[in-house]
Amino acid sequence: MSDNSYGAIHRYEPARESTVAAITIVLLSVIQIVFVGVFTYGFTAGWGVGTSTGTEAGNVLLGLLLAAIFINLAFILLLYRKEFLPDVMVVKKRRRKWEDLYIREEDMYGEEITDGTLDKLKRAIYPYYKK
């Protein structure tokens, strides 16, 4: 019953759309905004060069904040992909080699040595011979 042509949808399962996942994504987004705000403040205040703290440890703190931003973003995207995107399977059939080489289907096995021998012999005897 399913269409097996190229690009046909073989299986489609709608997303679960969990309420707990939606609340978790909202909370992680708020935490993301806080991390970005602290990183931006620390970057503009000069934590990385040690002007405001007097030490070089600000660089490490900015690096850890940046790592926390990307890890938090990864969890947000993971939850979104798992809970809110549908599961779709698209049919992709593997083509045979002769299709990739633009060979006609009747020529896919090649030619034998004896193919056309009689025509070649007739053409050698009479050059104006038509097939």
Side-chain angles (χ1 to χ4, degrees):
M1 296 267 194
S2 66
D3 185 19
N4 286 334
S5 62
Y6 294 116
I9 294 177
H10 186 66
R11 181 184 73 220
Y12 181 86
E13 295 177 10
R16 291 182 275 195
E17 298 184 6
S18 169
T19 308
V20 175
I23 293 171
T24 307
I25 287 175
V26 169
L27 291 176
L28 286 174
S29 298
V30 170
I31 293 171
Q32 182 80 3
I33 292 170
V34 170
F35 279 153
V36 170
V38 172
F39 177 78
T40 305
Y41 175 75
F43 194 70
T44 57
W47 290 358
V49 291
T51 56
S52 62
T53 58
T55 64
E56 297 296 325
N59 231 0
V60 174
L61 180 61
L62 286 177
L64 289 175
L65 279 171
L66 196 59
I69 288 170
F70 284 116
I71 290 172
N72 195 11
L73 184 63
F75 278 114
I76 291 171
L77 292 175
L78 179 93
L79 271 174
Y80 177 73
R81 200 182 99 214
K82 182 177 169 88
E83 299 291 333
F84 293 99
L85 289 181
D87 184 22
V88 178
M89 179 188 287
V90 177
V91 174
K92 291 184 180 179
K93 288 170 57 178
R94 183 183 172 109
R95 296 190 306 177
R96 294 177 290 263
K97 284 186 178 179
W98 56 266
E99 287 179 321
D100 291 334
L101 297 174
Y102 304 106
I103 296 174
R104 293 186 307 248
E105 190 169 359
E106 61 269 7
D107 295 335
M108 70 182 186
Y109 295 114
E111 294 182 359
E112 294 183 10
I113 295 175
T114 58
D115 285 349
T117 307
L118 189 60
D119 288 336
K120 289 178 185 175
L121 182 63
K122 287 179 183 178
R123 189 165 290 124
I125 295 172
Y126 182 64
Y128 300 108
Y129 172 75
K130 306 261 188 219
K131 281 188 175 184

